[in-house]
Amino acid sequence: ADGGPIIVEKLKNWTERNEKRIILSQIVSMYLEMLENTDKSKPHIKHISEELYTLKNNLPDGVKKVKDIMDLAKLPMNDLRIQRKA
């Protein structure tokens, strides 16, 4: 594909082990979603899917953590009530 890697570039910005586990859980979920529409009768596709499911089960729930971060980013910083609570 043109333009270089997409996913590997994102990992460079995440430095701490726990941060990388969060982003990795998102990447694994993305790959699993991509593989949903592929022919799983092919041995190599089946093997990759199984390995990704195993990896996903051993990673923390990154979806919840990403949602928490997105919710924080949406907080209106000019709201006095939020400022008091912070």
Side-chain angles (χ1 to χ4, degrees), residues 75-86:
L75 289 174
M77 293 296 115
N78 58 352
D79 184 324
L80 292 176
R81 187 173 139 251
I82 292 189
Q83 289 175 3
R84 280 193 304 273
K85 287 186 171 194

PDB file of all heavy atoms in Angstrom, residues 75-86:
ATOM      1  N   LEU A  75     -14.898  16.284  28.023  1.00  0.00           N
ATOM      2  CA  LEU A  75     -15.344  17.133  29.130  1.00  0.00           C
ATOM      3  C   LEU A  75     -15.131  18.607  28.789  1.00  0.00           C
ATOM      4  O   LEU A  75     -14.039  18.993  28.358  1.00  0.00           O
ATOM      5  CB  LEU A  75     -14.596  16.792  30.407  1.00  0.00           C
ATOM      6  CG  LEU A  75     -14.925  15.464  31.062  1.00  0.00           C
ATOM      7  CD1 LEU A  75     -13.992  15.219  32.239  1.00  0.00           C
ATOM      8  CD2 LEU A  75     -16.368  15.396  31.501  1.00  0.00           C
ATOM      9  N   PRO A  76     -16.146  19.432  29.000  1.00  0.00           N
ATOM     10  CA  PRO A  76     -15.993  20.866  28.727  1.00  0.00           C
ATOM     11  C   PRO A  76     -15.166  21.536  29.831  1.00  0.00           C
ATOM     12  O   PRO A  76     -15.618  21.677  30.962  1.00  0.00           O
ATOM     13  CB  PRO A  76     -17.437  21.379  28.706  1.00  0.00           C
ATOM     14  CG  PRO A  76     -18.213  20.396  29.517  1.00  0.00           C
ATOM     15  CD  PRO A  76     -17.510  19.078  29.393  1.00  0.00           C
ATOM     16  N   MET A  77     -13.978  21.948  29.499  1.00  0.00           N
ATOM     17  CA  MET A  77     -13.070  22.521  30.486  1.00  0.00           C
ATOM     18  C   MET A  77     -13.501  23.908  30.960  1.00  0.00           C
ATOM     19  O   MET A  77     -13.042  24.368  31.992  1.00  0.00           O
ATOM     20  CB  MET A  77     -11.650  22.600  29.921  1.00  0.00           C
ATOM     21  CG  MET A  77     -11.020  21.253  29.681  1.00  0.00           C
ATOM     22  SD  MET A  77     -10.796  20.345  31.209  1.00  0.00           S
ATOM     23  CE  MET A  77     -11.891  18.971  30.971  1.00  0.00           C
ATOM     24  N   ASN A  78     -14.399  24.549  30.266  1.00  0.00           N
ATOM     25  CA  ASN A  78     -14.856  25.867  30.690  1.00  0.00           C
ATOM     26  C   ASN A  78     -16.098  25.783  31.580  1.00  0.00           C
ATOM     27  O   ASN A  78     -16.622  26.801  32.015  1.00  0.00           O
ATOM     28  CB  ASN A  78     -15.119  26.760  29.477  1.00  0.00           C
ATOM     29  CG  ASN A  78     -16.140  26.167  28.529  1.00  0.00           C
ATOM     30  OD1 ASN A  78     -16.561  25.017  28.699  1.00  0.00           O
ATOM     31  ND2 ASN A  78     -16.528  26.925  27.531  1.00  0.00           N
ATOM     32  N   ASP A  79     -16.558  24.581  31.882  1.00  0.00           N
ATOM     33  CA  ASP A  79     -17.713  24.369  32.763  1.00  0.00           C
ATOM     34  C   ASP A  79     -17.252  24.490  34.221  1.00  0.00           C
ATOM     35  O   ASP A  79     -16.385  23.749  34.680  1.00  0.00           O
ATOM     36  CB  ASP A  79     -18.301  22.980  32.499  1.00  0.00           C
ATOM     37  CG  ASP A  79     -19.560  22.704  33.293  1.00  0.00           C
ATOM     38  OD1 ASP A  79     -19.652  23.149  34.456  1.00  0.00           O
ATOM     39  OD2 ASP A  79     -20.453  22.022  32.749  1.00  0.00           O
ATOM     40  N   LEU A  80     -17.814  25.441  34.953  1.00  0.00           N
ATOM     41  CA  LEU A  80     -17.398  25.687  36.344  1.00  0.00           C
ATOM     42  C   LEU A  80     -17.629  24.471  37.233  1.00  0.00           C
ATOM     43  O   LEU A  80     -16.845  24.198  38.139  1.00  0.00           O
ATOM     44  CB  LEU A  80     -18.134  26.908  36.905  1.00  0.00           C
ATOM     45  CG  LEU A  80     -17.749  28.238  36.262  1.00  0.00           C
ATOM     46  CD1 LEU A  80     -18.603  29.371  36.825  1.00  0.00           C
ATOM     47  CD2 LEU A  80     -16.275  28.516  36.467  1.00  0.00           C
ATOM     48  N   ARG A  81     -18.709  23.747  37.016  1.00  0.00           N
ATOM     49  CA  ARG A  81     -19.003  22.567  37.819  1.00  0.00           C
ATOM     50  C   ARG A  81     -17.900  21.503  37.646  1.00  0.00           C
ATOM     51  O   ARG A  81     -17.413  20.927  38.617  1.00  0.00           O
ATOM     52  CB  ARG A  81     -20.352  21.981  37.408  1.00  0.00           C
ATOM     53  CG  ARG A  81     -20.827  20.863  38.285  1.00  0.00           C
ATOM     54  CD  ARG A  81     -22.268  20.442  37.911  1.00  0.00           C
ATOM     55  NE  ARG A  81     -22.354  19.023  37.951  1.00  0.00           N
ATOM     56  CZ  ARG A  81     -22.463  18.208  36.906  1.00  0.00           C
ATOM     57  NH1 ARG A  81     -22.550  18.706  35.707  1.00  0.00           N
ATOM     58  NH2 ARG A  81     -22.510  16.916  37.056  1.00  0.00           N
ATOM     59  N   ILE A  82     -17.479  21.310  36.423  1.00  0.00           N
ATOM     60  CA  ILE A  82     -16.415  20.344  36.150  1.00  0.00           C
ATOM     61  C   ILE A  82     -15.105  20.834  36.742  1.00  0.00           C
ATOM     62  O   ILE A  82     -14.334  20.062  37.302  1.00  0.00           O
ATOM     63  CB  ILE A  82     -16.299  20.068  34.629  1.00  0.00           C
ATOM     64  CG1 ILE A  82     -17.541  19.332  34.189  1.00  0.00           C
ATOM     65  CG2 ILE A  82     -15.008  19.356  34.274  1.00  0.00           C
ATOM     66  CD1 ILE A  82     -17.577  18.776  32.837  1.00  0.00           C
ATOM     67  N   GLN A  83     -14.860  22.120  36.666  1.00  0.00           N
ATOM     68  CA  GLN A  83     -13.637  22.673  37.248  1.00  0.00           C
ATOM     69  C   GLN A  83     -13.615  22.453  38.753  1.00  0.00           C
ATOM     70  O   GLN A  83     -12.578  22.101  39.321  1.00  0.00           O
ATOM     71  CB  GLN A  83     -13.523  24.159  36.920  1.00  0.00           C
ATOM     72  CG  GLN A  83     -13.214  24.435  35.466  1.00  0.00           C
ATOM     73  CD  GLN A  83     -13.233  25.921  35.165  1.00  0.00           C
ATOM     74  OE1 GLN A  83     -13.414  26.765  36.025  1.00  0.00           O
ATOM     75  NE2 GLN A  83     -13.042  26.248  33.884  1.00  0.00           N
ATOM     76  N   ARG A  84     -14.754  22.639  39.421  1.00  0.00           N
ATOM     77  CA  ARG A  84     -14.816  22.428  40.884  1.00  0.00           C
ATOM     78  C   ARG A  84     -14.562  20.963  41.204  1.00  0.00           C
ATOM     79  O   ARG A  84     -13.853  20.645  42.150  1.00  0.00           O
ATOM     80  CB  ARG A  84     -16.171  22.860  41.434  1.00  0.00           C
ATOM     81  CG  ARG A  84     -16.319  24.344  41.646  1.00  0.00           C
ATOM     82  CD  ARG A  84     -17.551  24.677  42.477  1.00  0.00           C
ATOM     83  NE  ARG A  84     -18.782  24.153  41.923  1.00  0.00           N
ATOM     84  CZ  ARG A  84     -19.548  24.773  41.016  1.00  0.00           C
ATOM     85  NH1 ARG A  84     -19.190  25.942  40.547  1.00  0.00           N
ATOM     86  NH2 ARG A  84     -20.644  24.220  40.576  1.00  0.00           N
ATOM     87  N   LYS A  85     -15.160  20.057  40.442  1.00  0.00           N
ATOM     88  CA  LYS A  85     -14.993  18.639  40.707  1.00  0.00           C
ATOM     89  C   LYS A  85     -13.568  18.170  40.428  1.00  0.00           C
ATOM     90  O   LYS A  85     -13.078  17.262  41.084  1.00  0.00           O
ATOM     91  CB  LYS A  85     -15.974  17.826  39.860  1.00  0.00           C
ATOM     92  CG  LYS A  85     -17.385  17.943  40.362  1.00  0.00           C
ATOM     93  CD  LYS A  85     -18.298  17.022  39.583  1.00  0.00           C
ATOM     94  CE  LYS A  85     -19.661  16.983  40.223  1.00  0.00           C
ATOM     95  NZ  LYS A  85     -20.458  15.877  39.696  1.00  0.00           N
ATOM     96  N   ALA A  86     -12.929  18.795  39.446  1.00  0.00           N
ATOM     97  CA  ALA A  86     -11.553  18.397  39.122  1.00  0.00           C
ATOM     98  C   ALA A  86     -10.618  18.812  40.245  1.00  0.00           C
ATOM     99  O   ALA A  86      -9.665  18.161  40.543  1.00  0.00           O
ATOM    100  CB  ALA A  86     -11.120  19.038  37.805  1.00  0.00           C
TER     101      ALA A  86
END
